[in-house]
Amino acid sequence: MKTRCIHIFPRFKNSFLIEEIRKKYDDLYGCIEPHITLVFPFESDIKIEDLKTEIHGILSNESQFEVSAQGIEAVDNHGYYLFLNIAKGKERIIELHYKLHKGLLAEYQSPWTKDGSYIPHITIGRFKNKEQMNNAMKDIGKFDPEFISKVERIFIETIGENEESIIEEIIEFGESSN
């Protein structure tokens, strides 16, 4: 049984600005790069070949696209987080999220996204309570640089024993399953 996720790892030229905040407020800093989660952690015995075939089928007709992120939001449903908001490319990411949760991965859709409420984001802070979250927002203050990247591939990740990210596969957009 493996715990896996499916992500986009955007390559922002100014990602060091994100990492400065994550280093202070995200306990997964150092375990995983800034990412947009398409399929949240799920435990399964799905063989990697079956998962690859499924995702290749979904991405084979998808084209690359640009994504931009800007602005931080405090979010207090399902925990206490700071999210870097996705602006451009948001609709494409939402479509991918729901396409990936059909077929083989349908049973692994997170309860909080089944009603169509998936919101693409990059988590930059995780907190034990609302006070810590609000204090971090005050500490960060105005933060509005724009982060731009081309999305060309998605990553199948296994989460290791120490929460580390282990990339199992990288699947390009428009690639056939050969």
Side-chain angles (χ1 to χ4, degrees):
M1 187 83 73
K2 289 187 176 189
T3 301
R4 290 189 172 111
C5 289
I6 300 174
H7 301 295
I8 295 169
F9 287 104
R11 301 291 180 224
F12 303 123
K13 288 182 181 171
N14 53 348
S15 64
F16 69 94
L17 297 169
I18 296 169
E19 291 293 60
E20 286 174 1
I21 294 172
R22 288 186 68 226
K23 186 174 186 176
K24 191 170 182 181
Y25 298 113
D26 186 356
D27 59 353
L28 292 182
Y29 171 83
C31 295
I32 187 169
E33 295 177 36
H35 60 280
I36 302 165
T37 302
L38 294 168
V39 178
F40 290 96
F42 65 98
E43 284 191 18
S44 78
D45 288 325
I46 298 173
K47 293 180 180 137
I48 190 62
E49 290 305 318
D50 295 338
L51 193 53
K52 280 173 42 181
T53 299
E54 177 85 1
I55 295 171
H56 275 293
I58 293 165
L59 294 186
S60 64
N61 294 318
E62 294 287 334
S63 58
Q64 301 172 0
F65 61 97
E66 189 171 89
V67 65
S68 70
Q70 188 172 30
I72 297 175
E73 181 179 0
V75 177
D76 64 359
N77 55 347
H78 310 293
Y80 302 96
Y81 302 96
L82 295 183
F83 288 172
L84 178 61
N85 294 316
I86 303 301
K88 186 176 181 182
K90 182 177 183 175
E91 294 76 21
R92 289 284 307 275
I93 295 168
I94 291 170
E95 286 175 25
L96 282 172
H97 169 81
Y98 288 105
K99 283 181 180 180
L100 288 166
H101 285 94
K102 294 181 178 173
L104 188 62
L105 296 172
E107 70 181 278
Y108 303 107
Q109 185 162 4
S110 300
W112 61 87
T113 68
K114 285 186 178 182
D115 64 357
S117 62
Y118 168 71
I119 299 171
H121 64 275
I122 297 172
T123 301
I124 60 171
R126 300 166 198 275
F127 307 93
K128 292 184 173 126
N129 58 54
K130 192 170 189 167
E131 181 182 6
Q132 289 177 345
M133 178 185 70
N134 289 337
N135 287 338
M137 280 295 288
K138 287 178 194 166
D139 183 47
I140 293 168
K142 184 176 173 143
F143 183 83
D144 63 357
E146 185 176 30
F147 301 90
I148 299 171
S149 178
K150 191 169 195 177
V151 177
E152 303 171 322
R153 63 190 66 88
I154 66 172
F155 297 77
I156 302 172
E157 171 208 43
T158 297
I159 300 173
E161 289 179 25
N162 298 309
E163 298 294 322
E164 73 275 14
S165 173
I166 303 162
I167 303 303
E168 278 190 273
E169 279 299 322
I170 301 170
I171 303 173
E172 303 281 334
F173 284 80
E175 217 181 60
S176 69
S177 59
N178 299 339

